[in-house]
Coordinates of all heavy atoms in Angstrom, one line a residue:
M1 N 102.0 164.9 57.2 CA 101.7 164.4 58.5 C 100.3 164.8 59.0 O 99.6 164.0 59.6 CB 102.8 165.0 59.4 CG 102.7 164.6 60.9 SD 103.1 162.8 61.0 CE 103.3 162.6 62.7
K2 N 99.9 166.1 58.7 CA 98.6 166.5 59.1 C 97.5 165.7 58.4 O 96.5 165.4 59.0 CB 98.4 168.0 58.8 CG 99.2 168.9 59.7 CD 98.9 170.4 59.4 CE 99.7 171.3 60.4 NZ 99.4 172.7 60.1
K3 N 97.7 165.4 57.1 CA 96.8 164.6 56.4 C 96.6 163.2 57.0 O 95.6 162.7 57.1 CB 97.1 164.5 54.9 CG 96.9 165.8 54.2 CD 97.2 165.6 52.7 CE 97.0 167.0 51.9 NZ 97.3 166.8 50.5
M4 N 97.8 162.7 57.4 CA 97.8 161.3 58.0 C 97.0 161.3 59.3 O 96.2 160.4 59.6 CB 99.2 160.8 58.2 CG 99.3 159.4 58.7 SD 100.9 158.8 59.2 CE 101.7 158.7 57.6
V5 N 97.2 162.3 60.1 CA 96.5 162.5 61.4 C 95.0 162.7 61.2 O 94.2 162.0 61.8 CB 97.1 163.6 62.3 CG1 96.2 163.9 63.5 CG2 98.5 163.3 62.7
A6 N 94.7 163.5 60.2 CA 93.3 163.7 59.9 C 92.6 162.4 59.4 O 91.5 162.1 59.8 CB 93.1 164.8 58.8
A7 N 93.3 161.7 58.6 CA 92.8 160.4 58.1 C 92.6 159.4 59.2 O 91.6 158.7 59.3 CB 93.7 159.8 57.0
L8 N 93.5 159.4 60.1 CA 93.4 158.5 61.3 C 92.2 158.9 62.2 O 91.5 158.0 62.7 CB 94.7 158.6 62.1 CG 94.8 157.6 63.3 CD1 94.7 156.1 62.8 CD2 96.2 157.7 64.0
V9 N 92.0 160.2 62.4 CA 90.9 160.6 63.2 C 89.6 160.2 62.5 O 88.7 159.7 63.2 CB 90.9 162.2 63.4 CG1 89.6 162.7 63.9 CG2 92.1 162.5 64.3
I10 N 89.5 160.4 61.2 CA 88.3 160.0 60.4 C 88.0 158.5 60.6 O 86.9 158.1 60.8 CB 88.4 160.4 59.0 CG1 88.3 162.0 58.9 CG2 87.3 159.8 58.1 CD1 88.6 162.5 57.5
V11 N 89.1 157.7 60.4 CA 88.9 156.2 60.5 C 88.5 155.9 61.9 O 87.6 155.0 62.1 CB 90.3 155.5 60.2 CG1 90.2 154.1 60.5 CG2 90.6 155.7 58.7
C12 N 89.1 156.5 63.0 CA 88.6 156.2 64.3 C 87.2 156.6 64.6 O 86.4 155.8 65.2 CB 89.5 156.9 65.3 SG 91.2 156.2 65.4
F13 N 86.8 157.7 64.1 CA 85.4 158.2 64.2 C 84.5 157.2 63.5 O 83.4 156.9 64.1 CB 85.3 159.6 63.6 CG 83.8 160.1 63.6 CD1 83.2 160.5 64.8 CD2 83.1 160.1 62.5 CE1 81.9 161.0 64.8 CE2 81.8 160.5 62.5 CZ 81.2 160.9 63.6
L14 N 84.8 156.8 62.3 CA 83.9 155.9 61.6 C 83.8 154.5 62.3 O 82.8 154.0 62.4 CB 84.4 155.7 60.2 CG 84.2 156.9 59.2 CD1 84.9 156.5 57.9 CD2 82.7 157.1 59.0
G15 N 84.9 154.1 62.9 CA 84.9 152.8 63.7 C 84.0 152.9 64.9 O 83.2 152.0 65.1
V16 N 84.0 154.0 65.6 CA 83.1 154.2 66.7 C 81.7 154.3 66.3 O 80.8 153.7 66.9 CB 83.6 155.5 67.5 CG1 82.6 155.9 68.6 CG2 84.9 155.3 68.2
A17 N 81.4 155.0 65.2 CA 80.1 155.2 64.7 C 79.5 153.8 64.3 O 78.4 153.5 64.6 CB 80.0 156.2 63.6
I18 N 80.3 153.0 63.6 CA 79.8 151.7 63.2 C 79.6 150.8 64.4 O 78.6 150.1 64.4 CB 80.8 151.1 62.2 CG1 80.8 151.8 60.9 CG2 80.6 149.6 62.0 CD1 81.9 151.5 59.9
A19 N 80.5 150.9 65.3 CA 80.3 150.0 66.5 C 79.0 150.4 67.3 O 78.3 149.6 67.8 CB 81.5 150.2 67.4
A20 N 78.8 151.7 67.4 CA 77.5 152.2 68.1 C 76.3 151.7 67.3 O 75.3 151.3 67.9 CB 77.6 153.7 68.2
F21 N 76.3 151.8 66.0 CA 75.2 151.4 65.2 C 75.0 149.9 65.4 O 73.9 149.4 65.6 CB 75.4 151.7 63.7 CG 74.3 151.2 62.8 CD1 73.1 151.9 62.8 CD2 74.5 150.1 62.1 CE1 72.1 151.4 62.0 CE2 73.5 149.6 61.3 CZ 72.3 150.3 61.2
A22 N 76.0 149.1 65.4 CA 75.9 147.7 65.5 C 75.4 147.3 66.9 O 74.6 146.4 67.0 CB 77.3 147.0 65.3
A23 N 75.8 148.0 67.9 CA 75.3 147.8 69.3 C 73.8 148.1 69.4 O 73.0 147.3 70.0 CB 76.1 148.6 70.3
D24 N 73.3 149.1 68.7 CA 71.9 149.4 68.7 C 71.1 148.4 68.0 O 70.1 148.0 68.3 CB 71.7 150.8 68.0 CG 71.3 151.9 69.0 OD1 71.3 151.6 70.2 OD2 71.1 153.0 68.6
A25 N 71.7 147.9 66.8 CA 71.0 146.9 66.0 C 70.9 145.6 66.7 O 70.0 144.8 66.5 CB 71.7 146.8 64.7
A26 N 71.8 145.3 67.6 CA 71.9 144.0 68.3 C 70.9 144.0 69.5 O 70.6 142.9 70.0 CB 73.3 143.8 68.8
K27 N 70.4 145.1 69.9 CA 69.5 145.2 71.1 C 68.1 144.5 70.6 O 67.6 144.9 69.6 CB 69.2 146.6 71.5 CG 70.4 147.3 72.2 CD 70.0 148.7 72.7 CE 71.2 149.4 73.2 NZ 70.9 150.8 73.6
P28 N 67.6 143.6 71.5 CA 66.3 143.0 71.1 C 65.2 144.1 71.2 O 65.3 145.0 72.1 CB 66.2 141.9 72.1 CG 67.0 142.3 73.2 CD 68.1 143.1 72.7
A29 N 64.2 143.9 70.4 CA 63.0 144.8 70.5 C 62.3 144.5 71.9 O 62.4 143.4 72.5 CB 62.1 144.5 69.4
P30 N 61.6 145.5 72.4 CA 61.0 145.3 73.7 C 59.9 144.3 73.7 O 59.3 144.0 72.6 CB 60.3 146.7 74.0 CG 60.8 147.6 73.0 CD 61.5 146.8 71.9
T31 N 59.6 143.7 74.8 CA 58.5 142.7 74.9 C 57.2 143.4 75.4 O 56.1 142.8 75.3 CB 58.8 141.6 75.9 OG1 59.1 142.1 77.2 CG2 60.0 140.7 75.4
S32 N 57.3 144.5 76.0 CA 56.1 145.3 76.5 C 56.2 146.7 76.2 O 57.3 147.3 76.1 CB 55.8 145.0 77.9 OG 56.8 145.6 78.7
F33 N 55.1 147.4 76.2 CA 55.0 148.8 75.9 C 53.9 149.5 76.8 O 53.0 148.8 77.3 CB 54.6 149.1 74.4 CG 55.5 148.5 73.4 CD1 55.3 147.2 73.0 CD2 56.6 149.2 72.9 CE1 56.2 146.6 72.1 CE2 57.4 148.7 72.0 CZ 57.3 147.4 71.6
D34 N 54.1 150.7 77.1 CA 53.1 151.5 77.9 C 51.9 151.8 77.2 O 50.8 152.1 77.8 CB 53.8 152.8 78.4 CG 54.9 152.5 79.4 OD1 54.8 151.5 80.1 OD2 55.8 153.3 79.5
K35 N 51.9 151.8 75.9 CA 50.7 152.1 75.0 C 50.8 151.3 73.7 O 51.8 150.7 73.4 CB 50.6 153.5 74.8 CG 51.7 154.1 74.0 CD 51.6 155.6 73.8 CE 52.7 156.1 73.0 NZ 52.6 157.5 72.6
E36 N 49.7 151.2 73.0 CA 49.7 150.5 71.7 C 50.7 151.2 70.8 O 50.9 152.4 70.8 CB 48.3 150.5 71.1 CG 47.4 149.6 71.8 CD 46.1 149.4 71.0 OE1 46.1 149.5 69.7 OE2 45.0 149.1 71.6
Q37 N 51.4 150.4 70.0 CA 52.4 150.9 69.1 C 51.9 151.1 67.7 O 51.0 150.4 67.2 CB 53.6 150.0 69.2 CG 54.2 149.8 70.5 CD 54.8 151.2 71.0 OE1 55.7 151.7 70.4 NE2 54.2 151.7 72.0
A38 N 52.6 151.9 67.0 CA 52.3 152.2 65.6 C 52.7 151.0 64.7 O 53.6 150.3 65.0 CB 53.0 153.5 65.1
V39 N 52.0 150.9 63.6 CA 52.3 149.8 62.6 C 53.8 150.1 62.2 O 54.2 151.2 62.0 CB 51.4 149.9 61.4 CG1 51.9 149.1 60.3 CG2 50.0 149.5 61.8
G40 N 54.6 149.0 62.1 CA 56.0 149.1 61.8 C 56.9 149.0 62.9 O 58.1 148.8 62.8
T41 N 56.4 149.2 64.2 CA 57.2 149.1 65.3 C 57.7 147.7 65.6 O 57.0 146.7 65.4 CB 56.4 149.6 66.6 OG1 56.0 150.9 66.4 CG2 57.3 149.5 67.9
K42 N 58.9 147.5 66.0 CA 59.5 146.2 66.3 C 59.1 145.8 67.7 O 59.2 146.6 68.6 CB 61.0 146.1 66.1 CG 61.5 146.4 64.7 CD 61.2 145.2 63.8 CE 61.8 145.4 62.5 NZ 61.4 144.4 61.5
A43 N 58.7 144.6 67.9 CA 58.4 144.1 69.3 C 58.9 142.6 69.3 O 59.1 142.0 68.3 CB 56.9 144.1 69.5
T44 N 59.1 142.1 70.5 CA 59.5 140.7 70.7 C 58.3 140.0 71.5 O 57.8 140.5 72.5 CB 60.7 140.7 71.6 OG1 61.8 141.3 70.9 CG2 61.1 139.2 71.8
C45 N 57.9 138.9 70.9 CA 56.8 138.1 71.6 C 57.4 137.6 72.9 O 58.5 137.0 72.9 CB 56.5 136.9 70.7 SG 55.3 135.8 71.4
I46 N 56.7 137.9 74.0 CA 57.2 137.5 75.3 C 57.1 136.0 75.5 O 57.9 135.5 76.4 CB 56.4 138.3 76.4 CG1 57.1 138.2 77.7 CG2 55.0 137.8 76.5 CD1 56.6 139.2 78.8
V47 N 56.3 135.3 74.7 CA 56.2 133.9 75.0 C 57.3 133.1 74.3 O 58.0 132.2 74.9 CB 54.8 133.4 74.4 CG1 54.7 131.9 74.6 CG2 53.7 134.1 75.2
D48 N 57.6 133.3 73.0 CA 58.6 132.6 72.3 C 59.9 133.3 71.9 O 60.8 132.8 71.4 CB 58.1 131.8 71.1 CG 57.6 132.7 70.0 OD1 57.9 133.9 70.1 OD2 56.9 132.2 69.1
G49 N 59.9 134.6 72.2 CA 61.1 135.4 72.0 C 61.3 135.8 70.5 O 62.3 136.4 70.2
K50 N 60.4 135.5 69.6 CA 60.6 135.9 68.2 C 60.3 137.4 68.0 O 59.4 138.0 68.6 CB 59.6 135.1 67.3 CG 60.0 133.7 67.2 CD 59.0 133.0 66.3 CE 59.3 131.5 66.2 NZ 58.3 130.8 65.4
E51 N 61.1 138.1 67.2 CA 60.9 139.5 66.9 C 59.9 139.6 65.9 O 59.9 138.9 64.9 CB 62.2 140.2 66.5 CG 62.0 141.7 66.3 CD 63.3 142.4 66.1 OE1 64.0 142.7 67.0 OE2 63.6 142.7 64.9
I52 N 59.0 140.5 66.0 CA 57.9 140.8 65.1 C 57.8 142.2 64.7 O 58.3 143.1 65.5 CB 56.5 140.3 65.6 CG1 56.2 140.9 66.9 CG2 56.5 138.7 65.7 CD1 54.9 140.5 67.5
T53 N 57.2 142.5 63.6 CA 56.9 143.9 63.2 C 55.4 144.1 63.4 O 54.6 143.4 62.9 CB 57.2 144.2 61.8 OG1 58.7 143.9 61.7 CG2 57.0 145.6 61.4
V54 N 55.0 145.1 64.2 CA 53.6 145.3 64.5 C 52.9 145.7 63.3 O 53.3 146.6 62.5 CB 53.4 146.4 65.6 CG1 52.0 146.8 65.8 CG2 54.1 146.0 66.9
A55 N 51.7 145.0 63.0 CA 50.8 145.3 61.9 C 49.5 145.6 62.5 O 49.2 145.3 63.7 CB 50.8 144.1 61.0
A56 N 48.5 146.0 61.7 CA 47.2 146.3 62.1 C 46.5 145.0 62.7 O 45.7 145.1 63.6 CB 46.4 146.9 61.0
T57 N 46.9 143.9 62.2 CA 46.3 142.6 62.6 C 47.1 141.8 63.6 O 46.8 140.7 64.0 CB 46.2 141.7 61.3 OG1 47.5 141.5 60.7 CG2 45.2 142.3 60.3
T58 N 48.2 142.4 64.2 CA 49.0 141.7 65.1 C 48.3 141.5 66.4 O 47.6 142.4 66.9 CB 50.3 142.5 65.4 OG1 51.1 142.7 64.2 CG2 51.2 141.8 66.4
L59 N 48.3 140.3 66.9 CA 47.6 139.9 68.2 C 48.3 140.6 69.3 O 49.5 140.7 69.4 CB 47.6 138.4 68.3 CG 46.9 137.6 67.3 CD1 47.2 136.1 67.4 CD2 45.5 137.9 67.3
K60 N 47.5 141.1 70.3 CA 48.0 141.8 71.5 C 47.1 141.6 72.7 O 46.0 141.2 72.5 CB 48.2 143.3 71.2 CG 46.8 144.0 71.0 CD 47.1 145.5 70.6 CE 45.8 146.2 70.3 NZ 45.3 145.9 69.0
S61 N 47.7 141.7 73.8 CA 47.0 141.6 75.1 C 47.5 142.8 76.0 O 48.7 143.2 75.8 CB 47.3 140.3 75.8 OG 46.7 139.3 75.2
V62 N 46.6 143.2 76.9 CA 47.0 144.2 77.9 C 47.0 143.6 79.2 O 46.0 142.9 79.6 CB 46.1 145.5 77.8 CG1 46.5 146.5 78.9 CG2 46.1 146.1 76.5
H63 N 48.1 143.7 80.0 CA 48.2 143.1 81.3 C 48.9 144.1 82.2 O 50.0 144.6 81.9 CB 49.0 141.8 81.3 CG 49.2 141.2 82.6 ND1 48.2 140.6 83.4 CD2 50.4 141.1 83.4 CE1 48.7 140.2 84.5 NE2 50.0 140.4 84.5
N64 N 48.2 144.5 83.3 CA 48.8 145.4 84.3 C 49.2 146.7 83.6 O 50.3 147.3 83.9 CB 49.9 144.8 85.1 CG 49.4 143.8 86.1 OD1 48.3 143.8 86.5 ND2 50.3 143.0 86.6
G65 N 48.4 147.2 82.6 CA 48.8 148.4 82.0 C 49.8 148.4 80.9 O 50.1 149.4 80.3
K66 N 50.3 147.2 80.6 CA 51.4 147.0 79.6 C 50.7 146.3 78.4 O 49.9 145.4 78.5 CB 52.6 146.2 80.1 CG 53.3 146.9 81.2 CD 54.1 148.0 80.7 CE 55.0 148.5 81.8 NZ 55.9 149.6 81.4
V67 N 51.2 146.7 77.2 CA 50.7 146.1 76.0 C 51.8 145.1 75.5 O 52.9 145.4 75.4 CB 50.4 147.1 74.8 CG1 50.0 146.4 73.6 CG2 49.5 148.2 75.3
Y68 N 51.3 143.8 75.2 CA 52.2 142.8 74.7 C 51.7 142.3 73.3 O 50.5 142.2 73.1 CB 52.2 141.6 75.7 CG 52.6 141.9 77.1 CD1 51.8 142.4 78.0 CD2 54.0 141.7 77.4 CE1 52.2 142.8 79.3 CE2 54.4 142.1 78.7 CZ 53.5 142.6 79.6 OH 54.0 142.9 80.9
Y69 N 52.7 142.1 72.4 CA 52.3 141.7 71.1 C 52.8 140.2 70.9 O 53.9 139.9 71.4 CB 53.0 142.6 70.0 CG 52.4 144.0 70.0 CD1 52.9 145.0 70.8 CD2 51.3 144.2 69.3 CE1 52.4 146.3 70.8 CE2 50.7 145.5 69.3 CZ 51.2 146.5 70.0 OH 50.7 147.8 70.1
F70 N 52.1 139.5 70.1 CA 52.4 138.1 69.9 C 52.5 137.7 68.4 O 51.8 138.3 67.6 CB 51.3 137.2 70.5 CG 51.0 137.6 72.0 CD1 50.0 138.5 72.3 CD2 51.9 137.1 72.9 CE1 49.8 138.8 73.6 CE2 51.7 137.5 74.3 CZ 50.7 138.4 74.6
D71 N 53.3 136.7 68.1 CA 53.5 136.3 66.7 C 52.6 135.2 66.3 O 52.5 134.8 65.2 CB 55.0 135.9 66.5 CG 55.4 134.7 67.3 OD1 55.0 134.6 68.5 OD2 56.0 133.8 66.8
S72 N 51.8 134.6 67.3 CA 50.8 133.6 66.9 C 49.7 133.6 67.9 O 49.8 134.0 69.1 CB 51.5 132.2 66.9 OG 51.9 131.8 68.2
A73 N 48.6 132.9 67.5 CA 47.4 132.8 68.4 C 47.8 131.9 69.6 O 47.3 132.1 70.7 CB 46.3 132.2 67.6
A74 N 48.7 130.9 69.4 CA 49.1 130.0 70.4 C 49.8 130.7 71.5 O 49.6 130.5 72.7 CB 50.0 128.9 69.9
C75 N 50.7 131.7 71.1 CA 51.4 132.5 72.1 C 50.5 133.4 72.9 O 50.6 133.5 74.1 CB 52.5 133.3 71.4 SG 53.9 132.3 70.8
K76 N 49.5 134.0 72.2 CA 48.6 134.9 72.9 C 47.7 134.1 73.9 O 47.5 134.5 75.0 CB 47.7 135.6 71.9 CG 46.7 136.6 72.6 CD 45.8 137.3 71.6 CE 44.8 138.2 72.1 NZ 44.5 138.2 73.5
T77 N 47.3 132.9 73.5 CA 46.5 132.0 74.4 C 47.3 131.6 75.6 O 46.8 131.7 76.7 CB 46.0 130.8 73.6 OG1 45.2 131.2 72.5 CG2 45.2 129.8 74.5
A78 N 48.5 131.2 75.4 CA 49.4 130.8 76.5 C 49.6 132.0 77.5 O 49.5 131.8 78.7 CB 50.8 130.3 76.0
F79 N 49.8 133.2 77.0 CA 50.0 134.4 77.8 C 48.7 134.7 78.6 O 48.8 134.9 79.8 CB 50.5 135.6 77.0 CG 50.7 136.8 77.8 CD1 51.9 137.1 78.4 CD2 49.7 137.8 77.9 CE1 52.1 138.2 79.2 CE2 49.8 138.9 78.6 CZ 51.1 139.1 79.3
D80 N 47.6 134.8 77.9 CA 46.4 135.1 78.5 C 46.0 134.1 79.6 O 45.4 134.5 80.6 CB 45.3 135.2 77.5 CG 45.4 136.4 76.5 OD1 46.2 137.3 76.9 OD2 44.7 136.4 75.5
A81 N 46.4 132.9 79.5 CA 46.0 131.9 80.5 C 46.9 132.0 81.7 O 46.4 131.7 82.8 CB 46.2 130.5 79.9
A82 N 48.1 132.5 81.6 CA 49.0 132.6 82.8 C 50.1 133.7 82.5 O 51.2 133.4 82.4 CB 49.7 131.3 83.0
P83 N 49.6 135.0 82.6 CA 50.6 136.1 82.3 C 51.8 136.1 83.3 O 52.9 136.4 82.9 CB 49.8 137.3 82.3 CG 48.5 136.9 82.9 CD 48.3 135.5 82.8
A84 N 51.5 135.8 84.5 CA 52.6 135.8 85.5 C 53.7 134.9 85.2 O 54.9 135.1 85.6 CB 52.0 135.5 86.9
K85 N 53.4 133.8 84.4 CA 54.5 132.9 84.0 C 55.5 133.6 83.1 O 56.7 133.2 83.0 CB 53.8 131.7 83.3 CG 54.8 130.7 82.8 CD 54.0 129.5 82.1 CE 54.9 128.5 81.5 NZ 54.2 127.5 80.8
F86 N 55.1 134.6 82.4 CA 55.9 135.2 81.3 C 56.4 136.6 81.8 O 57.5 137.0 81.4 CB 55.2 135.3 80.0 CG 54.7 134.0 79.5 CD1 53.4 133.6 79.7 CD2 55.6 133.2 78.9 CE1 52.9 132.4 79.2 CE2 55.1 131.9 78.4 CZ 53.8 131.5 78.6
V87 N 55.7 137.3 82.6 CA 56.0 138.7 83.0 C 56.9 138.6 84.3 O 56.5 138.0 85.2 CB 54.8 139.5 83.3 CG1 55.2 140.9 83.8 CG2 53.9 139.7 82.1
K88 N 58.1 139.1 84.2 CA 59.0 139.0 85.3 C 58.9 140.3 86.1 O 58.8 141.4 85.6 CB 60.4 138.8 84.9 CG 60.5 137.6 83.9 CD 60.8 136.3 84.7 CE 61.1 135.2 83.8 NZ 60.1 134.3 83.4

């Protein structure tokens, strides 16, 4: 009986851990940052919503003290032309 209870506790713990991990993985990457991010950081393009991984060559803009990363030159151009359209 004790082994069955212990096994049930382990199964419940693993279920909670897996659910917590899945919830974290499901969260979208941020669209803005307070400072430039390290290479490898996940970000979301505020213009088209695509998730990107920051690289040394990733396009970025700073608006009102926030750093925004873009997945294409077209997205950066659209943002730079009218940031208020995208920043809520």
Side-chain angles (χ1 to χ4, degrees):
M1 181 69 167
K2 286 183 181 181
K3 287 183 181 181
M4 185 185 293
V5 170
L8 185 59
V9 168
I10 291 171
V11 168
C12 288
F13 174 77
L14 288 175
V16 169
I18 290 169
F21 177 77
D24 254 1
K27 289 182 185 175
T31 57
S32 68
F33 300 89
D34 291 331
K35 61 181 181 175
E36 287 192 29
Q37 296 299 294
V39 169
T41 302
K42 298 288 186 188
T44 300
C45 176
I46 196 167
V47 175
D48 66 12
K50 291 182 183 173
E51 186 173 279
I52 54 176
T53 302
V54 174
T57 57
T58 302
L59 299 170
K60 64 183 177 284
S61 291
V62 177
H63 175 70
N64 287 341
K66 297 285 187 177
V67 181
Y68 298 88
Y69 292 94
F70 307 97
D71 65 318
S72 70
C75 287
K76 182 179 180 346
T77 299
F79 179 85
D80 289 344
K85 179 179 175 183
F86 304 100
V87 178
K88 308 266 189 271

